[in-house]
């Protein structure tokens, strides 16, 4: 498939990395020649330096025979015009645009994106994706990473194993014997910075980051078995009242279980906007690093602090200060992946990577067919793919033990006859089943072949 990616920043580069690694014909367009050079030097892609919305630039990028265009520049307006030009001039069938401004995302203006207006097939909102990720982190405070599957009936949990974990030094195959009714599988382990899919004989050690796929009903028990306690989040302090912080506060206000939320926002206009938009949330205008203001927000009695300003360093320092002042849990927004290794030394419990959430969202729409969901793990090291099994798939009608899955893959769970099932070697995969597969990046093309789901479009 021929794909044009407009914007060679973090998101565009990662999407190009995914698609070029799967033998697609990818061209990257950006008005910054350095970013284009970085993409062409590190990836098997072509590069064009220029403004993505210019028809002549898209023509040079091969738009006349392109199958898809992904507009992920830093400008909403450039992304919108790029999709319009791609449609009107080059008749590109599938158009995806990343839009940040909430005004463009208001549901009452959804008609804007019809084919006879602004022909955008899929609109991706990083702020909405990040706000949803923040809510999921708050729902599982003991996990550093979370994602829902099977319409919320299953969860992927990222858990750091502590010294007091009851199951350290225990071979994974024994976990099934010890907890026969537990519907949870360890699908990935990161040890000494290296992510791998474990075998049944592998053990869990203190310091490992484990990715566990579990039935949502079994989530509290799963956390307990792996040495984590699940606490209820009733008092939350949000540092940063922009689109992300506002989105989280709005969602928390709609919950039936009453959650007390306070927002600290440095910019006065932004703080006033947040105060006007929210009903029960208290908004404080000031610096989230100010210990006096944190005291005024009662940070010591809060259950969690969520630092989601647009500055990574502010988020890190605010999280550290909040913990130092008595807040038991901190979650921060981190755009720069090189800062992630600081999470442990700084005692920050969880982080949200906007790039990863946006990449996952875009991949979910690129892998069209019967793929229902895609979640990118770490620095695009692995994916969890949720897909419906087709009757023509090579795996349909076979037992899992008889399927030649690549070594770097593992089935975390499946839905069979509307019931979430923990897979075993004897489980037979039938047409219509929905499965969730943890796959290392290099094995994703083979997984798609087995599912007979290609990157296609209508």
């Amino acid at each position: 498939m021929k794909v044009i990616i407009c914007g060679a920043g973090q998101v565009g580069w990662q999407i190009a990395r995914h698609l070029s690694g799967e033998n697609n014909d990818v061209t990257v367009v950006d008005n910054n020649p350095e970013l284009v050079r970085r993409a062409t030097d590190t990836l098997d892609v072509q590069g064009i330096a220029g403004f993505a919305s210019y028809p002549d630039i898209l023509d040079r990028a091969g738009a006349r025979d392109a199958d898809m265009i992904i507009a992920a520049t830093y400008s909403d307006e450039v992304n919108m015009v790029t999709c319009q030009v791609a449609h009107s001039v080059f008749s590109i069938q599938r158009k995806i645009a990343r839009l940040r401004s909430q005004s463009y995302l208001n549901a009452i203006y959804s008609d804007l994106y019809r084919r006879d207006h602004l022909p955008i097939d899929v609109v991706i909102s990083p702020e909405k994706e990040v706000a949803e990720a923040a809510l999921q982190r708050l729902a599982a405070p003991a996990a550093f990473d979370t994602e829902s599957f099977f319409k919320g009936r299953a969860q992927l949990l990222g858990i750091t194993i502590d010294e007091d974990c009851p199951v350290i030094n225990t071979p994974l195959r024994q976990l099934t014997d010890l907890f026969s009714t537990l519907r949870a599988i360890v699908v990935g382990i990161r040890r000494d910075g290296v992510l791998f899919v474990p075998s049944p004989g592998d053990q869990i050690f203190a310091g490992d980051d484990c990715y566990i796929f579990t039935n949502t009903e079994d989530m509290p028990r799963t956390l307990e078995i792996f040495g984590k306690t699940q606490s209820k989040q009733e008092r939350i302090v949000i540092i940063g009242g922009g689109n992300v912080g506002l989105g989280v506060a709005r969602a928390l206000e709609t919950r039936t279980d009453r959650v007390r939320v306070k927002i600290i926002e440095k910019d006065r206009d932004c703080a006033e906007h947040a105060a006007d938009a929210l009903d029960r949330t208290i908004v404080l205008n000031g610096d989230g690093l100010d210990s006096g203001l944190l005291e005024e927000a009662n940070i010591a009695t809060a259950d969690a602090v969520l630092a989601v300003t647009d500055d990574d360093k502010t988020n890190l320092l605010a999280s550290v200060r909040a913990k130092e002042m008595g807040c038991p849990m901190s979650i921060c927004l981190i755009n720069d992946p090189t800062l992630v290794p600081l999470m442990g030394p700084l005692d920050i419990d969880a982080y949200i990577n906007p790039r990863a959430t946006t990449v996952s969202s875009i991949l979910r729409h690129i892998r069209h067919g019967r793929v229902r969901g895609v979640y990118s793990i770490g620095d695009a090291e692995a994916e969890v793919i949720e897909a419906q099994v087709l009757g023509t798939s090579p795996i349909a009608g076979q037992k899992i033990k008889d399927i030649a899955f690549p070594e770097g893959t593992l089935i975390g769970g499946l839905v069979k006859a509307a019931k979430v099932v923990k897979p075993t070697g004897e489980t037979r995969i039938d047409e219509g089943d929905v499965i969730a597969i943890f796959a290392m990046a290099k094995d994703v093309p083979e997984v798609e072949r087995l599912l007979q789901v290609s990157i296609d479009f209508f």
Side-chain angles (χ1 to χ4, degrees), residues 135 137-141 230-238 248-249 251-253 255-263 280-282 297-306 327-329 331:
L135 290 167
R137 300 292 188 279
L138 289 170
Q230 184 79 321
S231 57
K232 195 173 182 181
Q233 309 295 301
E234 297 178 334
R235 295 176 298 277
I236 296 169
V237 175
I238 301 174
V248 173
L252 292 174
E253 283 192 344
R255 288 189 176 177
T256 52
D257 52 332
R258 199 171 181 87
V259 179
R260 300 176 190 172
V261 182
K262 294 179 181 177
I263 290 179
R280 302 196 310 265
T281 302
I282 296 172
N298 296 320
I299 196 70
T301 60
D303 297 309
V305 62
L306 181 64
C327 184
M329 181 187 179
I331 305 171

Side-chain angles (χ1 to χ4, degrees), residues 107-240:
I108 64 174
Y109 306 129
S110 58
D111 277 356
L112 179 65
Y113 306 111
R114 283 177 13 201
R115 280 190 170 267
D116 52 346
H117 294 158
L118 266 176
I120 302 174
D121 301 297
V122 178
V123 172
I124 305 294
S125 166
E127 281 78 9
K128 284 188 175 181
E129 300 289 338
V130 170
E132 179 59 34
L135 290 167
Q136 292 201 36
R137 300 292 188 279
L138 289 170
F144 65 82
D145 198 0
T146 56
E147 179 65 16
S148 296
F149 292 89
F150 303 151
K151 298 181 179 178
R153 298 168 66 192
Q155 300 287 329
L156 179 74
L157 302 174
I159 297 174
T160 299
I161 304 300
D162 300 321
E163 293 281 357
D164 58 354
C165 174
V167 294
I168 59 173
N169 304 326
T170 303
L172 294 179
R173 66 164 61 92
Q174 290 186 18
L175 294 181
T176 302
D177 300 329
L178 292 170
F179 310 103
S180 58
T181 60
L182 182 70
R183 291 168 293 181
I185 292 179
V186 178
V187 292
I189 297 176
R190 188 188 307 281
R191 181 174 298 153
D192 298 327
V194 178
L195 181 67
F196 64 94
V197 173
S199 64
D202 283 323
Q203 301 177 29
I204 297 174
F205 300 122
D208 286 351
D209 286 342
C210 290
Y211 289 91
I212 304 165
F213 197 92
T214 180
N215 188 299
T216 300
E217 294 175 356
D218 289 358
M219 189 167 73
R221 187 174 171 221
T222 300
L223 290 167
E224 181 182 353
I225 287 170
F226 285 88
K228 302 294 181 180
T229 56
Q230 184 79 321
S231 57
K232 195 173 182 181
Q233 309 295 301
E234 297 178 334
R235 295 176 298 277
I236 296 169
V237 175
I238 301 174
I239 299 175

